[in-house]
Amino acid sequence: MQNKKIKKATKKEIQTIKALFLEHYKNAKTELIYRNDYELLIAVMLSAQCTDKRVNLITPALFDQYPTPQDLKDAPLEDIKNLIKSCSFFNNKATNLKAMAKEVCEKFDGVIPLDREALKSLPGVGQKTANVVLIESKEANFIAVDTHVFRVSHRLGLSNANTPLKTEEDLTKIFADNLATLHQAMVLFGRYICKALNPQCQNCFLSHLCKSKMSYKC
């Protein structure tokens, strides 16, 4: 993981950054396509180290074939793999999806639990995935740190942490509220403006607050 210490944003700069994110992305939502919490969880699990566009190409057939946790639990593993084979790490993800569905059926009566610790108890679901599901489903006051949020946080001097979880702690502390919207904002900002390579600085409403152009990797 690439991370060099840079100058931290001041309290005033942090408040300005927060206000500008909320102004520019007040209606920000995930680009993953889903119809319910079950489909949302699957889409988020598949999105790890894979683009949302790719996930959205994969999920229609998967959701059609296995519309409930019970259906997914009973599905042959090889069939799941075949449906998601264009996704990165599809072998591991297929195994986790089937195991997740089994746990949901056996421990949560076939209903996706909307509690962070309960979600984290499911196979293949870490804190980032749990946070994203709760942000999207409940607008929970969490922030999830993916590669985009990590890069943006460090370029703006909001965190110097070496890990996603520590970066999450920093952002939660300095922003305090509106975390769900800020998460969505930072993801979209990192995806389309503050890119890892060739950031669109000329179109950036935060360029005057940028501390580094380095390509931080999460």
Side-chain angles (χ1 to χ4, degrees), residues 32 36-48 50 54-55 58-106 108 110 112-113 119 121-126 129 133:
L32 293 170
N36 52 53
D37 292 331
Y38 164 68
E39 293 185 356
L40 171 62
L41 177 55
I42 290 175
V44 176
M45 291 174 69
L46 290 175
S47 71
C50 185
R54 169 56 52 187
V55 172
I58 293 168
T59 50
L62 182 67
F63 295 158
D64 182 62
Q65 190 75 22
Y66 308 116
T68 69
Q70 183 69 46
D71 294 319
L72 188 60
K73 174 181 78 73
D74 296 335
L77 181 60
E78 288 305 313
D79 289 356
I80 301 173
K81 288 182 180 180
N82 189 56
L83 284 168
I84 69 168
K85 63 185 178 182
S86 64
C87 188
S88 57
F89 306 104
F90 72 93
N91 284 308
N92 287 339
K93 288 178 179 179
T95 300
N96 284 333
L97 287 177
K98 184 174 172 66
M100 174 276 290
K102 182 174 184 290
E103 290 280 301
V104 167
C105 289
E106 294 180 355
F108 300 102
I112 304 300
L119 280 169
S121 74
L122 299 174
V125 180
T129 296
V133 169

Side-chain angles (χ1 to χ4, degrees), residues 37 40 114-115 132-141 180:
D37 292 331
L40 171 62
L114 295 180
D115 171 83
V132 172
V133 169
L134 294 171
I135 287 166
E136 185 62 26
S137 179
K138 298 174 62 179
E139 294 188 354
N141 194 46

Side-chain angles (χ1 to χ4, degrees), residues 12-24:
K12 183 177 180 180
E13 287 175 333
I14 289 169
Q15 291 308 306
T16 300
I17 290 167
K18 179 179 180 179
L20 287 171
F21 271 136
L22 294 175
E23 175 188 341
H24 284 262

